[in-house]
Amino acid sequence: QVQLEESGGGLVQAGESLRLSCAASGRSFSTSPMGWFRQAPGKEQEVVAAIIWNGGSTYYTYYLDAVKARFIISKDNAKNMVYLQMNNLQPEDTSVYYCAAATGYSGTYLPKRRVEYHYWGRGTQVTVSS
Protein backbone atom coordinates (compact mmCIF):
# COMPACT_ATOMS: atom_id res chain seq x y z
CA GLN A 1 0.00 0.00 0.00
CA VAL A 2 1.42 3.33 -1.06
CA GLN A 3 1.44 6.03 1.60
CA LEU A 4 2.69 9.58 1.78
CA GLU A 5 3.03 11.17 5.18
CA GLU A 6 3.81 14.83 5.75
CA SER A 7 5.40 16.33 8.83
CA GLY A 8 6.95 19.59 9.94
CA GLY A 9 4.03 21.96 9.90
CA GLY A 10 3.31 24.34 12.73
CA LEU A 11 2.71 27.89 13.88
CA VAL A 12 5.40 30.47 13.18
CA GLN A 13 5.70 34.22 12.97
CA ALA A 14 6.18 36.13 9.75
CA GLY A 15 9.77 35.98 8.56
CA GLU A 16 10.50 32.62 10.17
CA SER A 17 11.16 29.29 8.46
CA LEU A 18 9.77 25.77 8.45
CA ARG A 19 10.88 22.58 6.75
CA LEU A 20 8.20 20.17 5.61
CA SER A 21 9.05 16.52 5.07
CA CYS A 22 7.16 13.87 3.15
CA ALA A 23 7.94 10.20 3.68
CA ALA A 24 6.83 7.83 0.94
CA SER A 25 6.34 4.12 1.49
CA GLY A 26 4.99 1.19 -0.50
CA ARG A 27 6.92 1.96 -3.69
CA SER A 28 9.86 4.00 -4.90
CA PHE A 29 9.28 7.44 -6.36
CA SER A 30 12.91 8.06 -7.26
CA THR A 31 12.21 9.04 -10.90
CA SER A 32 8.61 10.08 -10.38
CA PRO A 33 7.49 13.67 -10.14
CA MET A 34 6.65 14.74 -6.61
CA GLY A 35 5.08 17.96 -5.52
CA TRP A 36 3.79 20.10 -2.72
CA PHE A 37 0.33 21.62 -2.95
CA ARG A 38 -1.46 23.90 -0.54
CA GLN A 39 -5.02 24.89 0.13
CA ALA A 40 -6.15 27.77 2.29
CA PRO A 41 -9.74 28.04 3.58
CA GLY A 42 -12.05 29.23 0.84
CA LYS A 43 -9.38 29.00 -1.82
CA GLU A 44 -8.55 26.51 -4.52
CA GLN A 45 -5.72 24.08 -4.09
CA GLU A 46 -2.56 25.23 -5.83
CA VAL A 47 0.77 23.67 -6.63
CA VAL A 48 3.58 25.24 -4.63
CA ALA A 49 6.57 23.33 -5.97
CA ALA A 50 7.38 20.17 -7.88
CA ILE A 51 10.50 18.16 -8.55
CA ILE A 52 11.63 15.33 -10.79
CA TRP A 53 14.94 13.49 -11.08
CA ASN A 54 16.10 12.49 -14.53
CA GLY A 55 17.91 9.40 -13.23
CA GLY A 56 21.27 11.02 -13.77
CA SER A 57 22.65 14.12 -12.16
CA THR A 58 19.85 16.62 -12.71
CA TYR A 59 16.79 17.55 -10.71
CA TYR A 60 14.20 19.72 -12.42
CA THR A 61 12.05 21.94 -10.30
CA TYR A 62 9.03 24.20 -10.59
CA TYR A 63 7.87 26.90 -8.19
CA LEU A 64 4.75 28.94 -7.87
CA ASP A 65 5.70 32.57 -8.55
CA ALA A 66 4.55 33.61 -5.08
CA VAL A 67 7.14 31.35 -3.40
CA LYS A 68 10.10 31.65 -5.75
CA ALA A 69 13.29 32.69 -3.93
CA ARG A 70 11.69 31.76 -0.59
CA PHE A 71 10.88 28.04 -0.87
CA ILE A 72 13.18 25.21 -1.90
CA ILE A 73 12.01 21.72 -2.85
CA SER A 74 14.43 18.83 -2.59
CA LYS A 75 14.40 15.06 -2.81
CA ASP A 76 16.31 12.23 -1.15
CA ASN A 77 15.82 9.23 -3.40
CA ALA A 78 17.67 6.87 -1.08
CA LYS A 79 15.21 7.68 1.70
CA ASN A 80 12.19 8.03 -0.60
CA MET A 81 11.55 11.49 0.82
CA VAL A 82 10.78 14.95 -0.47
CA TYR A 83 11.23 18.18 1.45
CA LEU A 84 10.02 21.76 1.25
CA GLN A 85 12.19 24.35 2.94
CA MET A 86 10.08 27.43 3.49
CA ASN A 87 11.89 30.65 4.35
CA ASN A 88 10.63 34.13 5.11
CA LEU A 89 7.13 32.82 5.65
CA GLN A 90 4.28 35.28 5.31
CA PRO A 91 0.69 35.20 6.57
CA GLU A 92 -0.51 34.48 3.03
CA ASP A 93 1.42 31.20 3.16
CA THR A 94 -0.99 29.93 5.80
CA SER A 95 -2.52 26.75 4.39
CA VAL A 96 -2.71 23.01 4.68
CA TYR A 97 0.25 21.66 2.72
CA TYR A 98 -0.04 18.36 0.89
CA CYS A 99 2.61 16.09 -0.53
CA ALA A 100 1.78 14.35 -3.80
CA ALA A 101 3.40 11.89 -6.18
CA ALA A 102 2.70 11.18 -9.83
CA THR A 103 3.33 8.04 -11.84
CA GLY A 104 3.48 7.32 -15.53
CA TYR A 105 5.56 10.35 -16.41
CA SER A 106 9.10 10.22 -17.67
CA GLY A 107 11.80 12.58 -18.75
CA THR A 108 11.62 16.09 -17.41
CA TYR A 109 7.88 16.75 -17.47
CA LEU A 110 6.65 18.26 -14.21
CA PRO A 111 2.93 17.92 -13.55
CA LYS A 112 1.38 21.02 -12.05
CA ARG A 113 -2.29 20.09 -11.88
CA ARG A 114 -3.91 18.15 -9.06
CA VAL A 115 -5.44 15.65 -11.49
CA GLU A 116 -1.98 14.65 -12.68
CA TYR A 117 -0.98 13.35 -9.26
CA HIS A 118 -2.02 9.90 -8.14
CA TYR A 119 -0.92 9.64 -4.51
CA TRP A 120 -1.56 12.14 -1.75
CA GLY A 121 -0.70 12.67 1.86
CA ARG A 122 -3.22 13.86 4.44
CA GLY A 123 -1.66 17.27 4.79
CA THR A 124 0.08 19.31 7.46
CA GLN A 125 -1.09 22.70 8.71
CA VAL A 126 1.17 25.71 8.36
CA THR A 127 0.06 28.87 10.12
CA VAL A 128 1.97 32.12 9.87
CA SER A 129 1.08 34.95 12.22
CA SER A 130 1.81 38.59 11.46
Coordinates of all heavy atoms in Angstrom, one line a residue, residues 9-88:
G9 N 4.8 20.8 9.8 CA 4.0 22.0 9.9 C 4.0 22.5 11.3 O 4.5 21.9 12.3
G10 N 3.4 23.7 11.4 CA 3.3 24.3 12.7 C 2.9 25.8 12.6 O 2.5 26.3 11.6
L11 N 3.0 26.5 13.8 CA 2.7 27.9 13.9 C 4.0 28.7 14.0 O 4.8 28.4 14.9 CB 1.8 28.1 15.1 CG 1.5 29.6 15.5 CD1 0.8 30.3 14.4 CD2 0.8 29.6 16.8
V12 N 4.2 29.6 13.1 CA 5.4 30.5 13.2 C 5.0 31.9 13.0 O 3.9 32.2 12.5 CB 6.5 30.1 12.1 CG1 7.0 28.7 12.3 CG2 5.9 30.2 10.7
Q13 N 5.9 32.8 13.2 CA 5.7 34.2 13.0 C 6.2 34.6 11.6 O 7.1 33.9 11.0 CB 6.4 35.1 14.0 CG 5.8 34.9 15.4 CD 6.3 35.9 16.4 OE1 7.5 36.3 16.3 NE2 5.6 36.2 17.4
A14 N 5.7 35.7 11.1 CA 6.2 36.1 9.7 C 7.7 36.3 9.8 O 8.3 36.8 10.7 CB 5.5 37.4 9.4
G15 N 8.3 35.9 8.7 CA 9.8 36.0 8.6 C 10.5 34.7 9.0 O 11.7 34.6 8.7
E16 N 9.8 33.8 9.7 CA 10.5 32.6 10.2 C 10.4 31.5 9.1 O 9.9 31.7 8.0 CB 9.9 32.2 11.5 CG 10.1 33.1 12.6 CD 9.5 32.6 13.9 OE1 8.7 31.8 13.9 OE2 10.0 33.1 15.0
S17 N 11.0 30.4 9.4 CA 11.2 29.3 8.5 C 10.6 28.0 9.0 O 10.5 27.8 10.2 CB 12.6 29.0 8.1 OG 13.2 30.2 7.5
L18 N 10.2 27.1 8.1 CA 9.8 25.8 8.4 C 10.3 24.8 7.4 O 10.4 25.3 6.2 CB 8.2 25.7 8.5 CG 7.5 26.1 9.8 CD1 6.0 26.0 9.5 CD2 7.9 25.3 11.0
R19 N 10.5 23.6 7.7 CA 10.9 22.6 6.7 C 9.9 21.4 6.8 O 9.7 20.8 7.8 CB 12.3 22.0 7.0 CG 12.8 21.1 5.9 CD 14.0 20.4 6.4 NE 14.7 19.7 5.3 CZ 15.5 18.6 5.4 NH1 15.6 18.0 6.6 NH2 16.1 18.1 4.4
L20 N 9.2 21.3 5.7 CA 8.2 20.2 5.6 C 8.9 18.9 5.1 O 9.8 19.0 4.2 CB 7.0 20.5 4.7 CG 6.2 21.8 5.1 CD1 5.1 22.0 4.1 CD2 5.8 21.8 6.5
S21 N 8.5 17.8 5.6 CA 9.1 16.5 5.1 C 7.9 15.6 4.6 O 6.8 15.7 5.2 CB 9.8 15.8 6.2 OG 10.9 16.6 6.6
C22 N 8.2 14.8 3.6 CA 7.2 13.9 3.1 C 7.9 12.5 3.0 O 8.8 12.4 2.2 CB 6.6 14.3 1.8 SG 5.5 13.1 1.0
A23 N 7.4 11.5 3.7 CA 7.9 10.2 3.7 C 7.0 9.3 2.8 O 5.8 9.2 3.1 CB 8.1 9.6 5.1
A24 N 7.6 8.7 1.8 CA 6.8 7.8 0.9 C 7.1 6.4 1.3 O 8.3 6.1 1.6 CB 7.2 8.1 -0.5
S25 N 6.1 5.5 1.2 CA 6.3 4.1 1.5 C 5.4 3.3 0.6 O 4.5 3.8 0.0 CB 6.0 3.8 2.9 OG 4.7 4.1 3.3
G26 N 5.8 2.1 0.3 CA 5.0 1.2 -0.5 C 5.5 1.1 -1.9 O 5.2 0.1 -2.6
R27 N 6.3 2.0 -2.4 CA 6.9 2.0 -3.7 C 7.9 3.1 -3.8 O 7.9 4.0 -3.0 CB 5.9 2.1 -4.8 CG 5.2 3.4 -4.9 CD 4.6 3.6 -6.3 NE 5.6 3.9 -7.3 CZ 5.4 4.0 -8.6 NH1 4.2 3.6 -9.1 NH2 6.3 4.3 -9.4
S28 N 8.9 3.0 -4.7 CA 9.9 4.0 -4.9 C 9.3 5.1 -5.8 O 8.7 4.8 -6.8 CB 11.1 3.4 -5.5 OG 12.0 4.4 -5.9
F29 N 9.6 6.3 -5.5 CA 9.3 7.4 -6.4 C 10.5 8.2 -6.9 O 10.5 9.4 -7.1 CB 8.4 8.4 -5.6 CG 7.0 7.9 -5.3 CD1 6.7 7.4 -4.0 CD2 6.1 7.8 -6.3 CE1 5.4 6.9 -3.8 CE2 4.8 7.3 -6.1 CZ 4.5 6.8 -4.8
S30 N 11.6 7.4 -7.0 CA 12.9 8.1 -7.3 C 12.9 8.8 -8.6 O 13.4 9.9 -8.7 CB 14.0 7.0 -7.3 OG 13.8 6.1 -8.3
T31 N 12.3 8.3 -9.6 CA 12.2 9.0 -10.9 C 10.8 9.5 -11.2 O 10.5 9.9 -12.3 CB 12.7 8.2 -12.0 OG1 11.9 6.9 -12.1 CG2 14.2 7.8 -11.9
S32 N 10.0 9.6 -10.2 CA 8.6 10.1 -10.4 C 8.5 11.5 -10.0 O 9.2 11.9 -9.0 CB 7.6 9.3 -9.5 OG 7.6 7.9 -9.9
P33 N 7.7 12.3 -10.6 CA 7.5 13.7 -10.1 C 6.8 13.7 -8.8 O 5.9 12.9 -8.5 CB 6.5 14.3 -11.2 CG 6.6 13.3 -12.3 CD 6.9 12.0 -11.8
M34 N 7.3 14.5 -7.9 CA 6.6 14.7 -6.6 C 6.4 16.2 -6.4 O 7.2 17.1 -6.9 CB 7.5 14.2 -5.5 CG 7.7 12.6 -5.6 SD 8.4 11.9 -4.2 CE 7.0 11.9 -3.0
G35 N 5.4 16.6 -5.7 CA 5.1 18.0 -5.5 C 4.5 18.3 -4.2 O 4.1 17.4 -3.4
W36 N 4.5 19.6 -3.9 CA 3.8 20.1 -2.7 C 2.7 21.0 -3.2 O 2.9 21.9 -4.0 CB 4.8 20.9 -1.8 CG 5.7 20.0 -1.1 CD1 7.0 19.7 -1.5 CD2 5.5 19.4 0.2 NE1 7.6 18.9 -0.5 CE2 6.7 18.7 0.5 CE3 4.4 19.4 1.1 CZ2 6.8 18.0 1.7 CZ3 4.6 18.6 2.2 CH2 5.8 17.9 2.5
F37 N 1.5 20.8 -2.7 CA 0.3 21.6 -2.9 C -0.1 22.3 -1.6 O 0.3 21.8 -0.6 CB -0.8 20.8 -3.5 CG -0.7 20.3 -4.9 CD1 0.2 19.3 -5.2 CD2 -1.4 20.9 -5.9 CE1 0.4 18.9 -6.5 CE2 -1.3 20.4 -7.2 CZ -0.4 19.4 -7.5
R38 N -0.9 23.3 -1.7 CA -1.5 23.9 -0.5 C -2.9 24.4 -0.8 O -3.2 24.7 -2.0 CB -0.6 25.1 0.0 CG -0.6 26.3 -0.9 CD 0.4 27.3 -0.4 NE 0.4 28.6 -1.2 CZ 1.2 29.6 -1.0 NH1 2.2 29.5 0.0 NH2 1.2 30.6 -1.7
Q39 N -3.7 24.4 0.2 CA -5.0 24.9 0.1 C -5.4 25.7 1.4 O -5.4 25.1 2.5 CB -6.0 23.7 -0.1 CG -7.4 24.2 -0.4 CD -8.3 23.1 -0.9 OE1 -8.0 21.9 -0.7 NE2 -9.4 23.5 -1.6
A40 N -5.7 26.9 1.2 CA -6.2 27.8 2.3 C -7.7 27.7 2.3 O -8.3 27.5 1.3 CB -5.6 29.2 2.1
P41 N -8.3 28.0 3.5 CA -9.7 28.0 3.6 C -10.4 29.0 2.5 O -10.0 30.1 2.4 CB -10.0 28.5 5.0 CG -8.8 28.2 5.7 CD -7.6 28.3 4.8
G42 N -11.3 28.4 1.8 CA -12.1 29.2 0.8 C -11.3 29.4 -0.5 O -11.8 30.1 -1.3
K43 N -10.2 28.8 -0.6 CA -9.4 29.0 -1.8 C -9.2 27.7 -2.5 O -9.3 26.6 -1.9 CB -8.0 29.7 -1.5 CG -8.2 31.1 -1.0 CD -6.8 31.7 -0.9 CE -6.9 33.2 -0.4 NZ -5.6 33.8 -0.3
E44 N -8.8 27.7 -3.8 CA -8.6 26.5 -4.5 C -7.2 26.0 -4.2 O -6.3 26.7 -3.8 CB -8.6 26.8 -6.0 CG -10.0 27.0 -6.5 CD -10.1 27.1 -8.0 OE1 -9.1 27.0 -8.7 OE2 -11.2 27.3 -8.6
Q45 N -7.0 24.7 -4.3 CA -5.7 24.1 -4.1 C -4.8 24.5 -5.2 O -5.2 24.6 -6.4 CB -5.9 22.6 -4.1 CG -4.6 21.8 -3.6 CD -4.9 20.3 -3.5 OE1 -5.2 19.7 -4.5 NE2 -4.7 19.8 -2.3
E46 N -3.5 24.8 -4.8 CA -2.6 25.2 -5.8 C -1.2 24.5 -5.6 O -0.9 24.2 -4.5 CB -2.3 26.7 -5.7 CG -1.8 27.2 -4.4 CD -1.6 28.8 -4.4 OE1 -1.9 29.4 -5.4 OE2 -1.2 29.3 -3.3
V47 N -0.5 24.3 -6.7 CA 0.8 23.7 -6.6 C 1.8 24.7 -6.1 O 1.8 25.8 -6.6 CB 1.2 23.1 -8.0 CG1 1.3 24.1 -9.1 CG2 2.5 22.3 -7.8
V48 N 2.6 24.3 -5.2 CA 3.6 25.2 -4.6 C 4.9 25.0 -5.3 O 5.6 25.9 -5.7 CB 3.7 25.1 -3.1 CG1 4.8 25.9 -2.5 CG2 2.4 25.4 -2.4
A49 N 5.3 23.7 -5.4 CA 6.6 23.3 -6.0 C 6.5 21.9 -6.4 O 5.7 21.1 -5.9 CB 7.7 23.5 -5.0
A50 N 7.3 21.5 -7.4 CA 7.4 20.2 -7.9 C 8.8 19.9 -8.3 O 9.6 20.8 -8.6 CB 6.4 20.0 -9.1
I51 N 9.1 18.6 -8.2 CA 10.5 18.2 -8.5 C 10.5 16.8 -9.2 O 9.7 15.9 -9.0 CB 11.3 18.1 -7.2 CG1 12.8 17.9 -7.5 CG2 10.8 17.0 -6.3 CD1 13.7 18.1 -6.3
I52 N 11.4 16.6 -10.1 CA 11.6 15.3 -10.8 C 13.1 15.1 -11.0 O 13.9 16.1 -11.3 CB 10.8 15.2 -12.1 CG1 10.9 13.8 -12.7 CG2 11.4 16.2 -13.1 CD1 10.0 13.6 -13.8
W53 N 13.6 13.9 -10.9 CA 14.9 13.5 -11.1 C 15.0 12.7 -12.4 O 14.2 11.9 -12.7 CB 15.4 12.6 -9.9 CG 16.8 12.1 -10.1 CD1 17.9 12.8 -10.3 CD2 17.2 10.7 -9.9 NE1 19.0 12.0 -10.3 CE2 18.6 10.7 -10.1 CE3 16.6 9.5 -9.6 CZ2 19.4 9.5 -10.0 CZ3 17.3 8.4 -9.5 CH2 18.7 8.4 -9.7
N54 N 16.0 13.1 -13.2 CA 16.1 12.5 -14.5 C 16.9 11.2 -14.5 O 17.1 10.6 -15.6 CB 16.7 13.5 -15.5 CG 18.2 13.7 -15.3 OD1 18.8 13.3 -14.2 ND2 18.9 14.3 -16.2
G55 N 17.2 10.7 -13.3 CA 17.9 9.4 -13.2 C 19.4 9.5 -13.3 O 20.1 8.6 -13.2
G56 N 19.8 10.8 -13.6 CA 21.3 11.0 -13.8 C 21.7 12.0 -12.7 O 21.7 11.6 -11.5
S57 N 22.1 13.2 -13.1 CA 22.7 14.1 -12.2 C 21.8 15.4 -12.0 O 22.2 16.3 -11.4 CB 24.1 14.5 -12.6 OG 24.1 15.1 -13.9
T58 N 20.6 15.4 -12.6 CA 19.8 16.6 -12.7 C 18.5 16.5 -12.1 O 17.8 15.5 -12.3 CB 19.7 17.1 -14.2 OG1 21.0 17.2 -14.8 CG2 19.0 18.4 -14.2
Y59 N 18.1 17.4 -11.2 CA 16.8 17.6 -10.7 C 16.1 18.8 -11.4 O 16.8 19.8 -11.4 CB 16.8 17.8 -9.2 CG 17.2 16.5 -8.4 CD1 18.5 16.2 -8.2 CD2 16.2 15.7 -7.9 CE1 18.9 15.1 -7.5 CE2 16.6 14.5 -7.2 CZ 17.9 14.2 -7.0 OH 18.3 13.1 -6.3
Y60 N 15.0 18.6 -11.8 CA 14.2 19.7 -12.4 C 13.1 20.1 -11.4 O 12.5 19.3 -10.8 CB 13.6 19.3 -13.7 CG 14.6 19.0 -14.8 CD1 15.0 17.7 -14.9 CD2 15.1 19.9 -15.7 CE1 16.0 17.3 -15.9 CE2 16.0 19.6 -16.6 CZ 16.5 18.3 -16.7 OH 17.4 18.0 -17.7
T61 N 13.0 21.4 -11.3 CA 12.0 21.9 -10.3 C 11.1 23.0 -10.9 O 11.4 23.6 -11.9 CB 12.8 22.6 -9.1 OG1 13.6 23.6 -9.6 CG2 13.6 21.5 -8.3
Y62 N 10.0 23.2 -10.2 CA 9.0 24.2 -10.6 C 8.6 24.8 -9.3 O 8.4 24.2 -8.3 CB 7.8 23.6 -11.3 CG 6.6 24.6 -11.3 CD1 6.5 25.5 -12.3 CD2 5.6 24.5 -10.3 CE1 5.5 26.4 -12.3 CE2 4.6 25.4 -10.3 CZ 4.5 26.3 -11.3 OH 3.5 27.2 -11.3
Y63 N 8.4 26.2 -9.3 CA 7.9 26.9 -8.2 C 6.8 27.8 -8.6 O 6.8 28.5 -9.6 CB 9.0 27.7 -7.5 CG 10.1 26.9 -6.9 CD1 11.3 26.6 -7.6 CD2 10.0 26.4 -5.6 CE1 12.3 25.9 -7.1 CE2 11.0 25.6 -5.1 CZ 12.1 25.4 -5.8 OH 13.1 24.6 -5.2
L64 N 5.8 27.9 -7.7 CA 4.8 28.9 -7.9 C 5.4 30.3 -7.8 O 6.3 30.5 -6.9 CB 3.7 28.8 -6.8 CG 2.5 29.7 -6.7 CD1 1.6 29.4 -7.9 CD2 1.8 29.5 -5.4
D65 N 5.0 31.3 -8.6 CA 5.7 32.6 -8.5 C 5.7 33.2 -7.1 O 6.7 33.8 -6.7 CB 5.0 33.5 -9.5 CG 5.3 33.3 -11.0 OD1 6.3 32.5 -11.2 OD2 4.7 33.8 -11.8
A66 N 4.7 33.0 -6.4 CA 4.5 33.6 -5.1 C 5.6 33.1 -4.1 O 5.8 33.7 -3.0 CB 3.1 33.4 -4.5
V67 N 6.2 31.9 -4.4 CA 7.1 31.3 -3.4 C 8.6 31.3 -3.9 O 9.5 30.9 -3.2 CB 6.7 29.9 -2.9 CG1 5.3 30.0 -2.4 CG2 6.9 28.9 -4.1
K68 N 8.7 31.7 -5.2 CA 10.1 31.6 -5.7 C 11.0 32.5 -4.9 O 10.7 33.5 -4.4 CB 10.1 32.2 -7.2 CG 9.6 31.2 -8.2 CD 9.7 31.8 -9.6 CE 9.2 30.8 -10.6 NZ 9.1 31.4 -12.0
A69 N 12.2 32.0 -4.7 CA 13.3 32.7 -3.9 C 13.1 32.6 -2.4 O 13.9 33.0 -1.6 CB 13.4 34.2 -4.3
R70 N 11.9 32.0 -2.0 CA 11.7 31.8 -0.6 C 11.6 30.3 -0.2 O 12.0 29.9 0.8 CB 10.4 32.4 -0.1 CG 10.4 33.9 -0.3 CD 9.2 34.6 0.4 NE 7.9 34.1 -0.2 CZ 6.9 33.5 0.5 NH1 7.1 33.3 1.8 NH2 5.8 33.2 -0.1
F71 N 11.1 29.5 -1.1 CA 10.9 28.0 -0.9 C 11.9 27.2 -1.7 O 12.2 27.6 -2.8 CB 9.5 27.6 -1.2 CG 8.4 28.1 -0.3 CD1 8.6 29.1 0.6 CD2 7.1 27.6 -0.4 CE1 7.6 29.6 1.4 CE2 6.1 28.0 0.4 CZ 6.3 29.0 1.3
I72 N 12.3 26.1 -1.2 CA 13.2 25.2 -1.9 C 12.7 23.8 -1.7 O 12.5 23.3 -0.6 CB 14.6 25.3 -1.4 CG1 15.2 26.7 -1.5 CG2 15.5 24.3 -2.2 CD1 16.5 26.9 -0.8
I73 N 12.4 23.1 -2.9 CA 12.0 21.7 -2.9 C 13.2 20.9 -3.1 O 14.1 21.2 -3.9 CB 10.9 21.4 -3.9 CG1 10.3 20.0 -3.7 CG2 11.4 21.7 -5.3 CD1 9.1 19.8 -4.5
S74 N 13.3 19.7 -2.4 CA 14.4 18.8 -2.6 C 14.0 17.4 -2.4 O 12.9 17.2 -1.9 CB 15.6 19.2 -1.6 OG 15.2 19.0 -0.3
K75 N 14.8 16.5 -2.8 CA 14.4 15.1 -2.8 C 15.6 14.2 -2.4 O 16.7 14.5 -2.8 CB 14.0 14.7 -4.2 CG 13.0 13.6 -4.4 CD 12.4 13.7 -5.8 CE 11.5 12.6 -6.1 NZ 12.2 11.4 -6.6
D76 N 15.3 13.2 -1.6 CA 16.3 12.2 -1.2 C 15.8 10.9 -1.7 O 15.0 10.3 -1.0 CB 16.5 12.2 0.4 CG 17.6 11.3 0.8 OD1 17.9 10.3 0.1 OD2 18.2 11.6 1.8
N77 N 16.3 10.5 -2.8 CA 15.8 9.2 -3.4 C 16.1 8.0 -2.6 O 15.4 7.0 -2.5 CB 16.4 9.1 -4.8 CG 15.8 10.1 -5.7 OD1 14.7 10.4 -5.7 ND2 16.7 10.6 -6.6
A78 N 17.3 8.0 -1.9 CA 17.7 6.9 -1.1 C 16.7 6.7 0.1 O 16.4 5.5 0.5 CB 19.1 7.1 -0.6
K79 N 16.1 7.8 0.6 CA 15.2 7.7 1.7 C 13.8 7.7 1.2 O 12.8 7.6 2.1 CB 15.5 8.8 2.7 CG 16.8 8.7 3.4 CD 17.0 9.9 4.4 CE 18.4 9.8 5.1 NZ 18.6 10.9 6.0
N80 N 13.5 7.9 -0.1 CA 12.2 8.0 -0.6 C 11.4 9.2 0.1 O 10.3 9.0 0.5 CB 11.4 6.7 -0.4 CG 10.5 6.4 -1.6 OD1 10.6 6.9 -2.7 ND2 9.5 5.5 -1.3
M81 N 12.1 10.3 0.1 CA 11.5 11.5 0.8 C 11.6 12.7 -0.1 O 12.5 12.8 -0.9 CB 12.3 11.8 2.2 CG 12.2 10.6 3.1 SD 12.0 10.9 4.8 CE 11.3 12.4 5.1
V82 N 10.7 13.6 0.2 CA 10.8 15.0 -0.5 C 10.6 16.0 0.6 O 9.9 15.8 1.6 CB 9.7 15.1 -1.6 CG1 8.3 15.0 -1.1 CG2 9.9 16.3 -2.4
Y83 N 11.2 17.1 0.4 CA 11.2 18.2 1.4 C 10.8 19.5 0.8 O 10.9 19.7 -0.4 CB 12.6 18.4 2.0 CG 13.2 17.1 2.6 CD1 14.1 16.3 1.8 CD2 12.9 16.6 3.9 CE1 14.6 15.1 2.3 CE2 13.5 15.5 4.4 CZ 14.3 14.7 3.6 OH 14.8 13.6 4.1
L84 N 10.3 20.4 1.7 CA 10.0 21.8 1.3 C 10.5 22.7 2.3 O 10.0 22.8 3.4 CB 8.5 22.0 1.0 CG 8.2 23.3 0.5 CD1 8.7 23.5 -1.0 CD2 6.6 23.6 0.5
Q85 N 11.6 23.4 2.0 CA 12.2 24.4 2.9 C 11.5 25.7 2.7 O 11.5 26.2 1.5 CB 13.7 24.5 2.7 CG 14.4 25.6 3.6 CD 14.3 25.3 5.0 OE1 14.6 24.1 5.4 NE2 14.1 26.3 5.9
M86 N 10.9 26.2 3.7 CA 10.1 27.4 3.5 C 10.7 28.5 4.3 O 10.7 28.4 5.6 CB 8.6 27.2 3.9 CG 8.0 26.0 3.2 SD 6.2 25.9 3.5 CE 6.3 25.5 5.3
N87 N 11.2 29.5 3.7 CA 11.9 30.6 4.4 C 11.1 31.9 4.2 O 10.3 32.1 3.3 CB 13.3 30.9 3.8 CG 14.2 29.6 3.9 OD1 14.2 29.0 4.9 ND2 14.9 29.4 2.8
N88 N 11.3 32.8 5.1 CA 10.6 34.1 5.1 C 9.1 33.9 4.9 O 8.5 34.5 4.0 CB 11.2 35.0 4.0 CG 10.7 36.4 4.1 OD1 10.3 36.9 5.1 ND2 10.7 37.1 3.0

